[in-house]
mmCIF file of all heavy atoms in Angstrom:
data_model
loop_
_atom_site.group_PDB
_atom_site.id
_atom_site.type_symbol
_atom_site.label_atom_id
_atom_site.label_comp_id
_atom_site.label_asym_id
_atom_site.label_seq_id
_atom_site.Cartn_x
_atom_site.Cartn_y
_atom_site.Cartn_z
ATOM 1 N N ILE A 353 21.448 69.655 -3.196
ATOM 2 C CA ILE A 353 20.106 69.601 -3.771
ATOM 3 C C ILE A 353 20.236 69.704 -5.288
ATOM 4 O O ILE A 353 20.776 70.685 -5.799
ATOM 5 C CB ILE A 353 19.242 70.783 -3.261
ATOM 6 C CG1 ILE A 353 19.163 70.779 -1.735
ATOM 7 C CG2 ILE A 353 17.858 70.750 -3.897
ATOM 8 C CD1 ILE A 353 18.713 72.111 -1.140
ATOM 9 N N TYR A 354 19.776 68.695 -5.995
ATOM 10 C CA TYR A 354 19.804 68.737 -7.466
ATOM 11 C C TYR A 354 18.462 69.259 -7.970
ATOM 12 O O TYR A 354 17.424 68.680 -7.661
ATOM 13 C CB TYR A 354 20.034 67.339 -8.040
ATOM 14 C CG TYR A 354 21.436 66.795 -7.846
ATOM 15 C CD1 TYR A 354 21.810 66.189 -6.653
ATOM 16 C CD2 TYR A 354 22.374 66.878 -8.871
ATOM 17 C CE1 TYR A 354 23.101 65.680 -6.484
ATOM 18 C CE2 TYR A 354 23.660 66.367 -8.712
ATOM 19 C CZ TYR A 354 24.012 65.771 -7.522
ATOM 20 O OH TYR A 354 25.282 65.263 -7.367
ATOM 21 N N LEU A 355 18.520 70.343 -8.730
ATOM 22 C CA LEU A 355 17.305 70.861 -9.357
ATOM 23 C C LEU A 355 17.571 71.015 -10.850
ATOM 24 O O LEU A 355 18.678 71.402 -11.247
ATOM 25 C CB LEU A 355 16.911 72.219 -8.770
ATOM 26 C CG LEU A 355 16.503 72.285 -7.298
ATOM 27 C CD1 LEU A 355 16.188 73.727 -6.901
ATOM 28 C CD2 LEU A 355 15.295 71.383 -7.009
ATOM 29 N N CYS A 356 16.563 70.736 -11.663
ATOM 30 C CA CYS A 356 16.687 70.891 -13.116
ATOM 31 C C CYS A 356 15.411 71.548 -13.627
ATOM 32 O O CYS A 356 14.345 70.946 -13.573
ATOM 33 C CB CYS A 356 16.872 69.518 -13.763
ATOM 34 S SG CYS A 356 16.783 69.526 -15.571
ATOM 35 N N PHE A 357 15.534 72.788 -14.082
ATOM 36 C CA PHE A 357 14.378 73.516 -14.641
ATOM 37 C C PHE A 357 14.813 74.362 -15.829
ATOM 38 O O PHE A 357 15.824 75.044 -15.712
ATOM 39 C CB PHE A 357 13.729 74.419 -13.586
ATOM 40 C CG PHE A 357 13.061 73.630 -12.501
ATOM 41 C CD1 PHE A 357 13.615 73.569 -11.244
ATOM 42 C CD2 PHE A 357 11.908 72.917 -12.769
ATOM 43 C CE1 PHE A 357 13.024 72.812 -10.245
ATOM 44 C CE2 PHE A 357 11.306 72.156 -11.778
ATOM 45 C CZ PHE A 357 11.865 72.109 -10.507
ATOM 46 N N PRO A 358 14.046 74.331 -16.935
ATOM 47 C CA PRO A 358 12.932 73.450 -17.248
ATOM 48 C C PRO A 358 13.360 71.984 -17.122
ATOM 49 O O PRO A 358 14.498 71.655 -17.400
ATOM 50 C CB PRO A 358 12.587 73.802 -18.701
ATOM 51 C CG PRO A 358 13.063 75.228 -18.854
ATOM 52 C CD PRO A 358 14.290 75.327 -18.006
ATOM 53 N N ASN A 359 12.396 71.149 -16.692
ATOM 54 C CA ASN A 359 12.733 69.811 -16.244
ATOM 55 C C ASN A 359 12.695 68.750 -17.343
ATOM 56 O O ASN A 359 11.824 68.735 -18.197
ATOM 57 C CB ASN A 359 11.749 69.417 -15.126
ATOM 58 C CG ASN A 359 12.142 68.123 -14.451
ATOM 59 O OD1 ASN A 359 11.612 67.059 -14.748
ATOM 60 N ND2 ASN A 359 13.107 68.201 -13.549
ATOM 61 N N ASN A 360 13.665 67.885 -17.287
ATOM 62 C CA ASN A 360 13.628 66.615 -17.980
ATOM 63 C C ASN A 360 13.447 65.577 -16.876
ATOM 64 O O ASN A 360 14.276 65.538 -15.971
ATOM 65 C CB ASN A 360 14.960 66.378 -18.707
ATOM 66 C CG ASN A 360 15.012 65.024 -19.384
ATOM 67 O OD1 ASN A 360 14.006 64.353 -19.516
ATOM 68 N ND2 ASN A 360 16.201 64.624 -19.818
ATOM 69 N N PRO A 361 12.400 64.774 -16.864
ATOM 70 C CA PRO A 361 11.472 64.468 -17.948
ATOM 71 C C PRO A 361 10.128 65.196 -17.952
ATOM 72 O O PRO A 361 9.410 65.070 -18.930
ATOM 73 C CB PRO A 361 11.206 62.980 -17.707
ATOM 74 C CG PRO A 361 11.204 62.848 -16.208
ATOM 75 C CD PRO A 361 12.266 63.828 -15.739
ATOM 76 N N THR A 362 9.749 65.926 -16.927
ATOM 77 C CA THR A 362 8.340 66.360 -16.850
ATOM 78 C C THR A 362 8.026 67.576 -17.716
ATOM 79 O O THR A 362 6.857 67.884 -17.947
ATOM 80 C CB THR A 362 7.930 66.709 -15.398
ATOM 81 O OG1 THR A 362 8.662 67.884 -14.989
ATOM 82 C CG2 THR A 362 8.213 65.570 -14.434
ATOM 83 N N GLY A 363 9.045 68.311 -18.146
ATOM 84 C CA GLY A 363 8.801 69.534 -18.921
ATOM 85 C C GLY A 363 8.315 70.689 -18.066
ATOM 86 O O GLY A 363 7.998 71.760 -18.574
ATOM 87 N N ALA A 364 8.274 70.489 -16.732
ATOM 88 C CA ALA A 364 7.755 71.525 -15.833
ATOM 89 C C ALA A 364 8.819 72.593 -15.563
ATOM 90 O O ALA A 364 10.011 72.362 -15.767
ATOM 91 C CB ALA A 364 7.327 70.901 -14.507
ATOM 92 N N THR A 365 8.367 73.752 -15.095
ATOM 93 C CA THR A 365 9.298 74.788 -14.638
ATOM 94 C C THR A 365 8.796 75.319 -13.306
ATOM 95 O O THR A 365 7.682 75.019 -12.893
ATOM 96 C CB THR A 365 9.357 75.999 -15.590
ATOM 97 O OG1 THR A 365 8.029 76.387 -15.881
ATOM 98 C CG2 THR A 365 10.109 75.669 -16.842
ATOM 99 N N ILE A 366 9.624 76.127 -12.669
ATOM 100 C CA ILE A 366 9.151 76.863 -11.504
ATOM 101 C C ILE A 366 9.382 78.354 -11.761
ATOM 102 O O ILE A 366 10.196 78.727 -12.609
ATOM 103 C CB ILE A 366 9.824 76.399 -10.185
ATOM 104 C CG1 ILE A 366 11.344 76.530 -10.240
ATOM 105 C CG2 ILE A 366 9.416 74.982 -9.856
ATOM 106 C CD1 ILE A 366 12.034 76.185 -8.921
ATOM 107 N N THR A 367 8.652 79.174 -11.037
ATOM 108 C CA THR A 367 8.782 80.621 -11.222
ATOM 109 C C THR A 367 10.029 81.115 -10.489
ATOM 110 O O THR A 367 10.612 80.410 -9.673
ATOM 111 C CB THR A 367 7.569 81.357 -10.635
ATOM 112 O OG1 THR A 367 7.535 81.093 -9.227
ATOM 113 C CG2 THR A 367 6.265 80.904 -11.286
ATOM 114 N N LYS A 368 10.372 82.363 -10.793
ATOM 115 C CA LYS A 368 11.520 82.963 -10.115
ATOM 116 C C LYS A 368 11.281 83.040 -8.601
ATOM 117 O O LYS A 368 12.185 82.777 -7.810
ATOM 118 C CB LYS A 368 11.770 84.356 -10.695
ATOM 119 C CG LYS A 368 13.038 84.978 -10.171
ATOM 120 C CD LYS A 368 13.374 86.243 -10.930
ATOM 121 C CE LYS A 368 14.369 87.065 -10.133
ATOM 122 N NZ LYS A 368 14.623 88.362 -10.745
ATOM 123 N N ALA A 369 10.044 83.348 -8.206
ATOM 124 C CA ALA A 369 9.733 83.425 -6.771
ATOM 125 C C ALA A 369 9.910 82.055 -6.109
ATOM 126 O O ALA A 369 10.424 81.956 -4.988
ATOM 127 C CB ALA A 369 8.312 83.936 -6.568
ATOM 128 N N GLN A 370 9.501 80.994 -6.803
ATOM 129 C CA GLN A 370 9.670 79.644 -6.251
ATOM 130 C C GLN A 370 11.143 79.272 -6.141
ATOM 131 O O GLN A 370 11.572 78.688 -5.142
ATOM 132 C CB GLN A 370 8.950 78.615 -7.142
ATOM 133 C CG GLN A 370 7.442 78.609 -6.974
ATOM 134 C CD GLN A 370 6.790 77.669 -7.976
ATOM 135 O OE1 GLN A 370 6.967 77.808 -9.193
ATOM 136 N NE2 GLN A 370 6.046 76.706 -7.467
ATOM 137 N N LEU A 371 11.925 79.637 -7.161
ATOM 138 C CA LEU A 371 13.356 79.320 -7.110
ATOM 139 C C LEU A 371 14.040 80.118 -6.009
ATOM 140 O O LEU A 371 14.940 79.626 -5.330
ATOM 141 C CB LEU A 371 14.013 79.573 -8.478
ATOM 142 C CG LEU A 371 15.481 79.147 -8.595
ATOM 143 C CD1 LEU A 371 15.663 77.658 -8.287
ATOM 144 C CD2 LEU A 371 16.032 79.450 -9.992
ATOM 145 N N GLN A 372 13.555 81.353 -5.814
ATOM 146 C CA GLN A 372 14.109 82.187 -4.735
ATOM 147 C C GLN A 372 13.916 81.504 -3.377
ATOM 148 O O GLN A 372 14.801 81.559 -2.520
ATOM 149 C CB GLN A 372 13.434 83.569 -4.737
ATOM 150 C CG GLN A 372 14.005 84.543 -3.714
ATOM 151 C CD GLN A 372 15.455 84.927 -4.004
ATOM 152 O OE1 GLN A 372 15.774 85.405 -5.082
ATOM 153 N NE2 GLN A 372 16.346 84.695 -3.040
ATOM 154 N N GLU A 373 12.779 80.807 -3.195
ATOM 155 C CA GLU A 373 12.556 80.073 -1.942
ATOM 156 C C GLU A 373 13.602 78.986 -1.735
ATOM 157 O O GLU A 373 14.058 78.750 -0.613
ATOM 158 C CB GLU A 373 11.166 79.412 -1.944
ATOM 159 C CG GLU A 373 10.038 80.358 -1.625
ATOM 160 C CD GLU A 373 8.678 79.654 -1.693
ATOM 161 O OE1 GLU A 373 8.589 78.469 -1.291
ATOM 162 O OE2 GLU A 373 7.719 80.295 -2.160
ATOM 163 N N TRP A 374 13.978 78.327 -2.824
ATOM 164 C CA TRP A 374 15.017 77.292 -2.733
ATOM 165 C C TRP A 374 16.358 77.903 -2.373
ATOM 166 O O TRP A 374 17.117 77.338 -1.582
ATOM 167 C CB TRP A 374 15.115 76.516 -4.052
ATOM 168 C CG TRP A 374 14.035 75.497 -4.161
ATOM 169 C CD1 TRP A 374 12.840 75.633 -4.802
ATOM 170 C CD2 TRP A 374 14.035 74.196 -3.572
ATOM 171 N NE1 TRP A 374 12.094 74.487 -4.655
ATOM 172 C CE2 TRP A 374 12.808 73.595 -3.910
ATOM 173 C CE3 TRP A 374 14.942 73.488 -2.805
ATOM 174 C CZ2 TRP A 374 12.470 72.302 -3.495
ATOM 175 C CZ3 TRP A 374 14.619 72.198 -2.388
ATOM 176 C CH2 TRP A 374 13.388 71.622 -2.732
ATOM 177 N N VAL A 375 16.668 79.036 -2.988
ATOM 178 C CA VAL A 375 17.945 79.705 -2.707
ATOM 179 C C VAL A 375 17.983 80.141 -1.242
ATOM 180 O O VAL A 375 18.976 79.916 -0.534
ATOM 181 C CB VAL A 375 18.145 80.893 -3.670
ATOM 182 C CG1 VAL A 375 19.302 81.776 -3.234
ATOM 183 C CG2 VAL A 375 18.369 80.383 -5.099
ATOM 184 N N ASP A 376 16.893 80.720 -0.766
ATOM 185 C CA ASP A 376 16.825 81.150 0.635
ATOM 186 C C ASP A 376 16.982 79.946 1.564
ATOM 187 O O ASP A 376 17.704 80.008 2.567
ATOM 188 C CB ASP A 376 15.493 81.862 0.923
ATOM 189 C CG ASP A 376 15.383 83.191 0.172
ATOM 190 O OD1 ASP A 376 16.432 83.700 -0.298
ATOM 191 O OD2 ASP A 376 14.257 83.705 0.031
ATOM 192 N N TYR A 377 16.300 78.855 1.210
ATOM 193 C CA TYR A 377 16.367 77.632 2.013
ATOM 194 C C TYR A 377 17.800 77.099 2.060
ATOM 195 O O TYR A 377 18.328 76.781 3.136
ATOM 196 C CB TYR A 377 15.416 76.589 1.420
ATOM 197 C CG TYR A 377 15.549 75.205 2.014
ATOM 198 C CD1 TYR A 377 15.019 74.904 3.265
ATOM 199 C CD2 TYR A 377 16.203 74.187 1.309
ATOM 200 C CE1 TYR A 377 15.141 73.638 3.811
ATOM 201 C CE2 TYR A 377 16.321 72.914 1.838
ATOM 202 C CZ TYR A 377 15.790 72.638 3.089
ATOM 203 O OH TYR A 377 15.914 71.378 3.618
ATOM 204 N N ALA A 378 18.447 77.023 0.898
ATOM 205 C CA ALA A 378 19.816 76.483 0.826
ATOM 206 C C ALA A 378 20.768 77.337 1.668
ATOM 207 O O ALA A 378 21.602 76.806 2.410
ATOM 208 C CB ALA A 378 20.286 76.409 -0.620
ATOM 209 N N ASN A 379 20.628 78.648 1.565
ATOM 210 C CA ASN A 379 21.484 79.520 2.375
ATOM 211 C C ASN A 379 21.219 79.341 3.860
ATOM 212 O O ASN A 379 22.132 79.364 4.677
ATOM 213 C CB ASN A 379 21.269 80.988 1.966
ATOM 214 C CG ASN A 379 22.122 81.364 0.756
ATOM 215 O OD1 ASN A 379 23.254 80.926 0.614
ATOM 216 N ND2 ASN A 379 21.561 82.175 -0.127
ATOM 217 N N ARG A 380 19.935 79.116 4.201
ATOM 218 C CA ARG A 380 19.557 78.964 5.610
ATOM 219 C C ARG A 380 20.136 77.682 6.202
ATOM 220 O O ARG A 380 20.679 77.690 7.304
ATOM 221 C CB ARG A 380 18.021 78.959 5.706
ATOM 222 C CG ARG A 380 17.460 79.152 7.086
ATOM 223 C CD ARG A 380 16.000 79.590 7.021
ATOM 224 N NE ARG A 380 15.104 78.558 6.544
ATOM 225 C CZ ARG A 380 14.336 78.660 5.461
ATOM 226 N NH1 ARG A 380 14.336 79.761 4.722
ATOM 227 N NH2 ARG A 380 13.542 77.668 5.095
#
Side-chain angles (χ1 to χ4, degrees):
I353 303 162
Y354 288 83
L355 295 178
C356 171
F357 292 108
N359 188 261
N360 177 12
T362 67
T365 48
I366 58 176
T367 62
K368 187 171 162 186
Q370 284 175 303
L371 186 58
Q372 184 65 56
E373 281 178 37
W374 281 96
V375 168
D376 293 343
Y377 171 77
N379 276 323
R380 194 161 69 240

